[in-house]
Amino acid sequence: MEIIALLLLVIAAVFVVRSIKVVPQQNAWVVERLGKYHATLTPGLNLLVPFVDRLAYKHSLKEIPLDVPSQICITKDNTQLTVDGILYFQVTDAMRASYGSSNYIIAITQLAQTTLRSVIGRMELDKTFEERAHINTSVVLSLDEAALNWGVKVLRYEIKDLTPPDAILHAMQAQITAEREKRALIAASEGRRQEQINIATGAREASIARSEGDKQAEINKAQGEAAAITAVATATADAIRQIAAAIGQPGGAEAVQLKVAERAIDAYHALAKTNNTMIVPGNMGEVSGLIASAMAVMKTGAGAVASPSA
């Protein structure tokens, strides 16, 4: 009896183990009943019929990175490129992933390689380095359309490396060096050109400033000379008015005659000192008249001074 009880206990334990299944989070398990697809177990506790149902496939629903092996691609201009990348996908339908392809990972890898060769074959070498985003997008679109039948969603594809042959690489480096030297020469010439422009502009502005300064100086000089002439004319006019007023006074005319006679005598005296030649006036009567007029004025003045004292 004890052996039977123990046997029943073992059978019950086997039934429990085979009938109770706990599916982890972000997983999907495919169950077959009598060799046919029956259900997809979701995360949590699930019950099966022992010896009738069996777990056929287990799939992870997490995002999976897949390294795509490197391969040689031929560009539109017949240049070889060694390309490798990485693909990110996710199982969205466990049933299709189980029965849609015998090995969906190999299918995705092969399709990614063929699609990549096709995309790069339509592009020139220079464009492949510039259009990485376009290449990645094209591969994803092509893969995603085909992977629907495999229950897989292709999320993105990233090119890790594009490696041209050594000869092409050296030629590209030489081209880049030449382009940089060209830009340096252009920048230097532009700098010299700008320098000459700045120098010419500075010289022109300095010349304009000097001419403006000379113009203002001439204007100031002319204004000063005009003011001086005006002042001299004003002073001369005042002096003439004062002389005229003095001549109109008593004895004014005699004073003028005396002054004229003195100036004439002084002029002849100065000429006699500075010249060895004897200068004799053409009309001696004029000189005598001047002297006589001067003496008469002096006597008149002396008499006028003496009479008040008497």
Side-chain angles (χ1 to χ4, degrees):
M1 293 296 295
E2 293 180 357
I3 296 175
I4 296 175
L6 183 60
L7 181 61
L8 292 176
L9 182 61
V10 171
I11 294 174
V14 170
F15 267 81
V16 170
V17 170
R18 294 182 64 91
S19 62
I20 298 177
K21 299 295 180 180
V22 178
V23 180
Q25 183 65 34
Q26 285 296 98
N27 280 266
W29 293 357
V30 174
V31 176
E32 292 180 350
R33 175 168 292 179
L34 300 177
K36 183 180 178 180
Y37 170 77
H38 172 66
T40 300
L41 302 183
T42 58
L45 181 64
N46 295 272
L47 298 177
L48 301 179
V49 177
F51 303 106
V52 176
D53 297 336
R54 75 178 186 91
L55 289 177
Y57 301 97
K58 295 181 179 181
H59 299 285
S60 173
L61 303 182
K62 299 177 183 179
E63 183 176 339
I64 300 173
L66 178 62
D67 188 17
V68 178
S70 61
Q71 60 177 332
I72 295 177
C73 302
I74 307 298
T75 62
K76 186 177 180 180
D77 50 357
N78 296 323
T79 302
Q80 293 184 352
L81 277 179
T82 302
V83 186
D84 61 348
I86 186 169
L87 183 70
Y88 297 87
F89 70 94
Q90 186 177 25
V91 175
T92 57
D93 189 335
M95 190 270 287
R96 289 189 177 185
S98 301
Y99 304 105
S101 173
S102 60
N103 192 327
Y104 61 83
I105 293 180
I106 295 178
I108 291 175
T109 302
Q110 294 296 323
L111 185 58
Q113 289 182 318
T114 56
T115 304
L116 183 62
R117 285 196 297 268
S118 176
V119 172
I120 291 181
R122 295 192 297 267
M123 304 174 66
E124 295 182 353
L125 177 62
D126 294 338
K127 290 294 183 179
T128 58
F129 297 98
E130 300 173 3
E131 301 291 340
R132 284 198 177 195
H134 173 69
I135 296 173
N136 296 337
T137 303
S138 300
V139 172
V140 170
L141 291 177
S142 299
L143 288 177
D144 194 39
E145 183 179 357
L148 289 176
N149 296 326
W150 306 331
V152 175
K153 173 69 174 176
V154 178
L155 302 176
R156 58 188 179 276
Y157 177 82
E158 297 291 338
I159 295 177
K160 293 194 296 183
D161 194 16
L162 287 171
T163 307
D166 293 339
I168 299 297
L169 185 60
H170 293 160
M172 293 173 62
Q173 290 176 348
Q175 182 181 3
I176 293 173
T177 302
E179 186 66 25
R180 289 178 178 174
E181 291 177 352
K182 175 184 174 183
R183 289 199 297 264
L185 292 175
I186 293 174
S189 64
E190 287 293 334
R192 289 193 296 272
R193 172 176 173 271
Q194 190 62 43
E195 179 185 6
Q196 295 298 324
I197 291 174
N198 293 340
I199 292 174
T201 302
R204 180 173 62 86
E205 293 178 355
S207 178
I208 293 173
R210 284 196 300 270
S211 64
E212 289 291 336
D214 294 342
K215 174 184 175 182
Q216 190 61 43
E218 292 294 333
I219 292 173
N220 294 340
K221 182 180 178 181
Q223 291 177 349
E225 291 177 353
I229 292 172
T230 302
V232 170
T234 301
T236 302
D238 292 340
I240 291 172
R241 283 193 292 269
Q242 292 177 6
I243 292 172
I247 291 173
Q249 297 296 324
E254 290 80 1
V256 172
Q257 293 176 0
L258 176 62
K259 193 65 176 177
V260 172
E262 288 178 352
R263 290 291 180 89
I265 293 169
D266 290 339
Y268 285 119
H269 180 68
L271 287 173
K273 283 184 177 181
T274 59
N275 200 338
N276 294 329
T277 305
M278 179 63 70
I279 299 174
V280 179
N283 189 355
M284 295 299 296
E286 294 180 0
V287 179
S288 300
L290 290 173
I291 295 172
S293 297
M295 295 302 294
V297 172
M298 291 178 65
K299 288 178 180 180
T300 302
V305 173
S307 60
S309 61

